Amino acid sequence: MKKLLLILLCFPLLVFSQDEKRLALVIGNANYDKGELKNPVNDALLIAKTLDSLDFDVILDTNIANKSDFTEVVMEFGDKRIDYDIALVYYAGHGVQIPFPDGTSVNYLLPTKVDFQKETDVRLKALSVQDIMMFLTGMTNQVNILILDACRD
């Protein structure tokens, strides 16, 4: 089933010119100290392999331990993004959404080795999805895809 879903998600990419440069950031976090997950690393490896076969340059990382390491891999992607026509970001792992009193909310992706006890821990020690989006929305004349396969407990 996952292979079929992956093919359906990637089908639009197949119709683009083979001359277009493609970049993907693929992250699978599973080895959490609290709330270990079974599938994210396997899913990330499958996605990375499939995207590689579709001529993507793939940045793959798994079990990112802390925000600093998360930021580093996202910045690597961001630094390269300008040179590519198509960008795809795939994340599998834990995520949380923090609502604000004004009705807005922020989504965060969680590193694996951080103990989150309260909301401020998440805000300061997790990676905001907006930190990834700035590298995608800044390239509005390009194709940008963000896939979040996040568990929200």
Side-chain angles (χ1 to χ4, degrees), residues 76-142:
E76 177 186 353
F77 169 80
D79 290 345
K80 291 180 177 184
R81 174 63 186 100
I82 191 93
D83 298 324
Y84 290 82
D85 303 302
I86 299 170
L88 183 145
V89 176
Y90 173 85
Y91 171 80
H94 279 302
V96 296
Q97 183 179 58
I98 297 180
F100 294 105
D102 66 358
T104 62
S105 61
V106 175
N107 292 293
Y108 292 89
L109 309 179
L110 304 184
T112 60
K113 301 301 176 193
V114 176
D115 184 23
F116 298 101
Q117 295 294 320
K118 54 192 179 293
E119 189 176 293
T120 54
D121 290 342
V122 174
R123 289 185 187 191
L124 296 174
K125 299 177 184 179
L127 184 80
S128 166
V129 172
Q130 291 306 116
D131 293 340
I132 296 171
M133 290 299 296
M134 77 175 157
F135 294 114
L136 299 177
T137 58
M139 303 296 293
T140 57
N141 62 335
Q142 306 292 342

Side-chain angles (χ1 to χ4, degrees), residues 21-128:
K21 290 182 69 178
R22 303 167 185 181
L23 178 65
L25 172 60
V26 178
I27 298 170
N29 279 352
N31 191 22
Y32 291 92
D33 286 341
K34 293 184 180 179
E36 187 169 349
L37 299 171
K38 294 180 183 178
N39 296 320
V41 171
N42 292 334
D43 293 348
L45 294 172
L46 176 62
I47 294 284
K49 181 179 176 183
T50 302
L51 291 173
D52 182 62
S53 73
L54 295 170
D55 296 324
F56 275 79
D57 291 334
V58 177
I59 300 168
L60 172 65
D61 207 339
T62 60
N63 293 318
I64 299 173
N66 56 54
K67 184 178 182 179
S68 176
D69 292 345
F70 231 134
T71 301
E72 188 175 313
V73 73
V74 169
M75 288 187 66
E76 177 186 353
F77 169 80
D79 290 345
K80 291 180 177 184
R81 174 63 186 100
I82 191 93
D83 298 324
Y84 290 82
D85 303 302
I86 299 170
L88 183 145
V89 176
Y90 173 85
Y91 171 80
H94 279 302
V96 296
Q97 183 179 58
I98 297 180
F100 294 105
D102 66 358
T104 62
S105 61
V106 175
N107 292 293
Y108 292 89
L109 309 179
L110 304 184
T112 60
K113 301 301 176 193
V114 176
D115 184 23
F116 298 101
Q117 295 294 320
K118 54 192 179 293
E119 189 176 293
T120 54
D121 290 342
V122 174
R123 289 185 187 191
L124 296 174
K125 299 177 184 179
L127 184 80
S128 166

Side-chain angles (χ1 to χ4, degrees), residues 3 7 152:
K3 286 184 182 181
I7 290 168
R152 291 178 18 166

